[in-house]
Amino acid sequence: MSSEEHLKQTDTEARFEFKKEEKSAFAAEKGLTEETIRVISEDKDEPEWMLQRRLRALEQYKEMPMPTDWPGQPDLSELDVDQIVPYIRPDVDVRGGVDDWTELPDEIKDTFDKLGIPEAEKNALSGVGAQYESEVVYQNMQEQWEEKGVIFCNMDKAVQEHEDLVREHFMTKCVPPSDNKFAALHGAIWSGGSFVYVPEGVTVEMPVQAYFRMNSEGMGQFEHTLIIAEEGSEVHYIEGCSAPKYSAFNLHSGGVEVFVGEDAHVQYSTVQNWSKNTYNLNTKRAIAEKGGRMEWISGSMGSKATMLYPSTILKGRGASDNHITIAMAGEGQDIDTGAKVYHNAPNTKSTIESKSIAKDGGRTNYRGLVHIADGAENSSTAVECDALMFDNESTSDTMPYMEINESKVDVAHEATVGKIGDEDIFYLQSRGLDDDDAKQMIVSGFIEPITEELPIEYAVELNRLVELEMEGSLG
Amino acid sequence: MATLTISNLHTEVAQEDGEKILRGVDLEVSSGEIHALMGPNGSGKSTLAKVIAGHPAYEVTEGSITLELTDEDLSDIDAELDEDDYTWELLDLEPNERAALGIFLGFQYPAEIEGVTMTNFLRQALNAKLEERQELFEEDGEEAETEDEAGYDTSPMEGPADDGDVSVAEFQGLLQEKMEQLDMDSKFAQRYLNAGFSGGEKKQNEVLQAALLEPAIAVLDEIDSGLDIDRLQDVSNGINALRDEQGSGILQITHYQRILDYVEPDYVHVMIDGEIAKSGGAELAHELEDEGYDWVRDELQGAA
């Protein structure tokens, strides 16, 4: 950090120091106006180009209609974006994040404590970035990464300190605001998130992690994650999300952009558990160059309605993509999730493995698109969807779209839908497990493909969430 | 020494106008005894096995299934026992409670559970059984000692490390020992429960589970079907060990004399049309092998 930048930050710290008494240091007015956008941008001390991008995105958001006519789409009619506060910064007196866990306010530490995050830290998993409300407040990065030129910081900081990289990649080629209404909304009011840059040929051995948490009533969360993996590099990014229940509706509309360079390998894993009144509407996309490999591992829990279809554009010859998604829906929940893959070059390969669990009248839907472009010869794709239902009130649908414009390809799709078997439960009960434990064991086994891909703390958390969900003890 | 007593048991399929399957079964099996239950297809043998274990698909319309225990059976129980604790009406209990009291059902077609390793499953089952067993004998409303929030010291798929009576290390040793006894490959422990197991492996696995859970009474439903001669011997050795080393009582359902050459029954019963039509010693099985079931049916009708 240059002395000038340092001064600027100290200045900023001072600016917020006197507001410490307040619950939140800053909250924008409810609703979405140009004025709100200007306030956010100014508060973040953003360069003019970012403000202009936000304003353009706002225009696009206003022009685009709400999606209402997809077959079997979740109902968004109760979502009122104007009632949502788009930006809240927690009361932390260090704006750019702190380097030491102990510097965090007790209240925030407690919240993370309950979710077992200090455990992860204790076990020396490197690079935990924790976001509390809209601001990354905790950053910890191992020195050796920095020496290799790896950058991991919060997105607001990246705009300041890595402006050229951000300007080139931020919502330009991967997820432009014009992509969909919620991408446009995100482009206008995004705040916080993570920036990861891995230079050519560098392998980041330990997973990079971020933790997002939403903690204020009626608040939206719009974090942006930008991952750039240069040629031949390798990184595993993990994001965990969780939110308690509140009476007002919440909106989460994140954006994730991943650039997988030639022969690079990026794994993006997330376990999300939003409160049952949250609309979880995200846009996540990766572009993979020649020989690049992208892996999406996602667990979608909670929320009132989720619409999330991580997508990969296989742009270069021999690029590959692997999706593993797990969704769980209980009473009053509609989880509409899946994957999209565009095979735009020859010899590209994709696999999609989707698993869903519906109980107590919940609905899960797999919505997937595999597009194979004319000329993408010798490409292959395999899609597998498994749905597990607990009762006759729950529903599960599979909507796999396949657009195949090339004849020399290999396409496979397989779907199974099953009710959780009485015989399976009886078998486990006859061995001493009670009814709940038996169901829990079957579900743990069902989601095992995802848990085995995750570092142990996340696997544990996912299992715990599922366990709580099964007991119905989550709000 | 435990005794399972089935008296005048009538069942039908648990749905409206359900089919009547058992029509007054009487049977008594005690620890250390081997009973063979034979009979033609559809006579109700598997139904009886499932009803003993508490399968929800059947409704008991008449009769009882009691399990009588002795001090010997309850030596592990850490509670003051009163008279009621020695005799249990199984029909009032959930399947897992019956398991905790010492009832084991070896399935003809065991469920395949993907994603759950044998080790994880067996340890959880053993701990669940021990915990439930203790709870059954404690005063109503008196909770078993409350455990602290369990931490996961091992793999999350293995469950909380400090949850239950049997630790991971202790369990591994026990499992290995039992698998060696049954001549099972140690890699079984890491496979998913019955998933992709051959017919023989599944049967071996059922016997392994019985060996680990040490039941008072094991009901083995066609444990010999689909076994080649080598596996049949392994499985038979396992059953004999269950009786000889753990003193379990065994009710072995079978179609064939073949397994009875290795596991010699003390009693043989013939079930026809939902009743025990005839009982006898080991020689009865040979008679059935030679002459089929028709003569038993004729006898039954003649008597009626």
Side-chain angles (χ1 to χ4, degrees):
Chain A
M1 197 186 291
S2 71
S3 59
E4 203 176 311
E5 281 167 329
H6 185 77
L7 265 176
K8 196 193 274 179
Q9 180 161 343
T10 317
D11 185 31
T12 316
E13 285 167 21
R15 240 174 93 195
F16 287 91
E17 197 103 298
F18 74 96
K19 288 186 176 173
K20 248 174 117 177
E21 296 306 306
E22 289 180 21
K23 191 78 186 154
S24 305
F26 173 87
E29 291 295 310
K30 275 186 187 176
L32 204 50
T33 62
E34 191 180 316
E35 185 52 30
T36 307
I37 303 302
R38 286 184 184 279
V39 168
I40 294 171
S41 187
E42 193 188 347
D43 184 63
K44 291 175 178 295
D45 202 12
E46 284 177 349
E48 180 64 19
W49 62 265
M50 182 53 88
L51 173 64
Q52 289 311 319
R53 279 191 199 178
R54 285 180 183 276
L55 293 173
R56 205 157 54 238
L58 179 65
E59 288 309 310
Q60 286 167 314
Y61 168 75
K62 286 178 174 165
E63 283 163 18
M64 276 186 262
M66 284 285 265
T68 52
D69 56 352
W70 297 12
Q73 185 205 314
D75 179 14
L76 302 179
S77 61
E78 284 182 61
L79 173 64
D80 184 357
V81 176
D82 287 338
Q83 289 304 311
I84 286 165
V85 180
Y87 176 66
I88 293 177
R89 181 178 330 107
D91 179 18
V92 179
D93 57 3
V94 182
R95 184 165 175 253
V98 292
D99 293 325
D100 186 345
W101 181 257
T102 55
E103 287 176 29
L104 286 173
D106 287 345
E107 188 189 75
I108 295 179
K109 276 192 287 194
D110 285 351
T111 312
F112 284 102
D113 249 347
K114 285 185 185 131
L115 287 148
I117 296 310
E119 280 305 313
E121 179 62 13
K122 274 178 217 150
N123 292 330
L125 277 163
S126 52
V128 173
Q131 170 158 341
Y132 188 82
E133 295 174 2
S134 301
E135 206 73 35
V136 170
V137 291
Y138 175 56
Q139 296 280 353
N140 174 16
M141 181 148 92
Q142 291 198 335
E143 278 175 18
Q144 65 263 35
W145 296 2
E146 289 176 29
E147 281 164 16
K148 287 179 181 171
V150 175
I151 302 166
F152 174 44
C153 65
N154 84 55
M155 202 58 220
D156 293 322
K157 198 165 166 180
V159 173
Q160 307 290 343
E161 295 179 10
H162 308 284
E163 191 174 342
D164 291 348
L165 279 171
V166 176
R167 190 170 185 166
E168 183 190 339
H169 295 93
F170 185 90
M171 298 194 83
T172 52
K173 307 170 250 201
C174 197
V175 181
S178 59
D179 189 80
N180 65 73
K181 189 168 180 78
F182 293 99
L185 176 68
H186 174 85
I189 57 175
W190 76 272
S191 174
S194 298
F195 177 72
V196 180
Y197 177 82
V198 187
E200 191 174 331
V202 172
T203 296
V204 182
E205 291 91 359
M206 301 291 280
V208 179
Q209 306 184 35
Y211 210 87
F212 296 92
R213 182 145 180 82
M214 202 154 78
N215 212 24
S216 283
E217 189 170 339
M219 161 199 165
Q221 188 160 317
F222 309 92
E223 83 285 353
H224 192 91
T225 300
L226 177 56
I227 299 168
I228 303 167
E230 299 282 19
E231 187 176 338
S233 67
E234 200 168 316
V235 66
H236 181 184
Y237 177 82
I238 299 180
E239 189 175 299
C241 302
S242 182
K245 182 184 167 84
Y246 287 107
S247 55
F249 287 134
N250 286 265
L251 170 62
H252 173 248
S253 186
V256 175
E257 300 184 279
V258 183
F259 293 86
V260 186
E262 272 189 28
D263 298 318
H265 175 200
V266 177
Q267 182 175 336
Y268 173 97
S269 306
T270 182
V271 176
Q272 301 192 337
N273 177 42
W274 300 102
S275 63
K276 301 278 160 66
N277 51 12
T278 298
Y279 286 90
N280 186 32
L281 310 164
N282 299 278
T283 309
K284 301 184 178 185
R285 187 168 303 140
I287 299 176
E289 305 291 340
K290 184 180 159 195
R293 183 149 72 95
M294 180 67 204
E295 289 182 89
W296 297 97
I297 317 284
S298 36
S300 294
M301 315 260 305
S303 85
K304 180 183 176 63
T306 285
M307 292 174 78
L308 169 61
Y309 323 96
S311 60
T312 300
I313 298 168
L314 299 170
K315 189 178 158 196
R317 177 181 281 269
S320 65
D321 169 69
N322 181 26
H323 274 86
I324 299 176
T325 71
I326 291 201
M328 185 163 180
E331 188 182 356
Q333 292 181 279
D334 193 343
I335 312 294
D336 196 292
T337 187
K340 284 195 283 186
V341 184
Y342 297 88
H343 291 257
N344 288 351
N347 298 80
T348 49
K349 189 171 186 268
S350 67
T351 57
I352 297 170
E353 194 178 342
S354 163
K355 285 173 176 278
S356 68
I357 302 159
K359 61 187 271 280
D360 301 331
R363 175 177 183 268
T364 57
N365 182 29
Y366 168 80
R367 196 184 296 275
L369 170 67
V370 176
H371 177 94
I372 299 185
D374 185 12
E377 73 265 10
N378 300 321
S379 290
S380 68
T381 182
V383 181
E384 194 185 329
C385 305
D386 298 322
L388 192 62
M389 278 180 293
F390 272 88
D391 45 57
N392 296 329
E393 287 72 51
S394 303
T395 52
S396 185
D397 298 305
T398 300
M399 299 184 192
Y401 298 88
M402 299 274 191
E403 297 172 357
I404 315 295
N405 300 318
E406 167 63 46
S407 53
K408 281 176 69 185
V409 294
D410 188 5
V411 176
H413 177 262
E414 199 180 315
T416 64
V417 176
K419 203 181 149 200
I420 194 163
D422 290 341
E423 292 302 322
D424 293 355
I425 292 170
F426 176 64
Y427 184 70
L428 299 179
Q429 279 185 298
S430 76
R431 298 298 181 258
L433 276 68
D434 66 25
D435 184 56
D436 284 348
D437 287 347
K439 285 178 181 161
Q440 168 65 25
M441 182 175 271
I442 291 165
V443 171
S444 290
F446 185 72
I447 64 169
E448 205 265 352
I450 191 171
T451 46
E452 76 174 353
E453 292 291 330
L454 293 171
I456 195 153
E457 286 75 9
Y458 282 84
V460 168
E461 185 179 338
L462 181 63
N463 271 311
R464 264 189 202 155
L465 286 172
V466 169
E467 209 170 302
L468 292 168
E469 197 73 53
M470 297 282 297
E471 287 168 6
S473 57
L474 278 187
Chain B
M1 165 147 151
T3 302
L4 178 76
T5 307
I6 300 165
S7 306
N8 191 30
L9 189 71
H10 291 254
T11 67
E12 47 192 56
V13 175
Q15 48 185 260
E16 223 175 309
D17 299 321
E19 189 194 346
K20 284 191 175 54
I21 300 179
L22 301 181
R23 301 158 186 266
V25 175
D26 294 292
L27 190 65
E28 196 171 287
V29 180
S30 293
S31 302
E33 298 173 351
I34 294 182
H35 292 246
L37 180 63
M38 305 181 80
N41 281 330
S43 58
K45 302 185 301 294
S46 288
T47 299
L48 177 65
K50 288 180 186 171
V51 171
I52 293 169
H55 197 291
Y58 303 97
E59 192 184 338
V60 173
T61 51
E62 213 182 320
S64 72
I65 306 176
T66 57
L67 182 67
E68 196 183 331
L69 302 168
T70 61
D71 280 324
E72 197 187 327
D73 299 312
L74 301 173
S75 58
D76 61 316
I77 299 298
D78 180 22
E80 210 153 300
L81 298 170
D82 55 44
E83 216 175 301
D84 297 345
D85 290 330
Y86 292 97
T87 305
W88 294 82
E89 173 51 77
L90 296 186
L91 297 175
D92 296 338
L93 300 174
E94 294 295 316
N96 60 308
E97 293 172 323
R98 300 182 197 198
L101 288 177
I103 298 294
F104 179 90
L105 173 59
F107 284 66
Q108 189 178 359
Y109 304 107
E112 300 191 10
I113 315 281
E114 286 282 353
V116 176
T117 62
M118 290 275 293
T119 308
N120 179 26
F121 160 68
L122 292 170
R123 194 172 78 85
Q124 277 204 44
L126 185 56
N127 279 323
K129 180 189 160 168
L130 295 175
E131 193 183 320
E132 183 63 54
R133 186 173 169 79
Q134 188 63 37
E135 278 175 22
L136 278 170
F137 291 95
E138 279 166 1
E139 293 287 319
D140 287 346
E142 193 183 309
E143 285 287 303
E145 60 188 281
T146 49
E147 284 170 47
D148 290 332
E149 195 57 32
Y152 290 78
D153 290 342
T154 56
S155 154
M157 301 318 293
E158 300 303 325
D162 57 352
D163 184 15
D165 294 342
V166 184
S167 74
V168 174
E170 198 183 338
F171 179 76
Q172 295 286 7
L174 186 64
L175 179 61
Q176 204 178 341
E177 182 196 314
K178 299 288 185 189
M179 284 174 57
E180 276 167 20
Q181 275 177 12
L182 282 163
D183 203 17
M184 288 175 83
D185 194 316
S186 62
K187 68 176 190 283
F188 260 89
Q190 289 317 312
R191 287 175 68 179
Y192 293 149
L193 179 56
N194 290 324
F197 282 30
S198 70
E201 287 169 341
K202 284 180 183 169
K203 297 299 161 74
Q204 226 168 353
N205 190 19
E206 293 298 285
V207 176
L208 172 69
Q209 291 176 44
L212 273 165
L213 295 170
E214 306 195 347
I217 306 291
V219 181
L220 306 175
D221 190 4
E222 296 199 29
I223 201 81
D224 53 342
S225 68
L227 296 182
D228 61 33
I229 193 72
D230 291 340
R231 263 304 150 54
L232 183 67
Q233 281 179 3
D234 290 339
V235 165
S236 300
N237 291 342
I239 297 170
N240 286 325
L242 205 58
R243 194 256 306 259
D244 299 338
E245 288 167 29
Q246 298 173 11
S248 302
I250 290 162
L251 177 60
Q252 180 158 298
I253 296 170
T254 182
H255 271 298
Y256 307 105
Q257 167 60 33
R258 200 173 61 143
I259 191 169
L260 303 180
D261 292 338
Y262 300 99
V263 181
E264 198 183 334
D266 301 301
Y267 305 94
V268 173
H269 310 277
V270 187
M271 182 175 264
I272 291 184
D273 299 335
E275 287 178 67
I276 304 283
K278 194 173 181 62
S279 295
E283 76 290 344
L284 177 57
H286 290 284
E287 257 178 280
L288 294 167
E289 180 90 342
D290 294 342
E291 299 175 37
Y293 294 110
D294 286 347
W295 65 274
V296 186
R297 195 188 299 269
D298 292 343
E299 262 188 32
L300 183 70
Q301 278 159 0

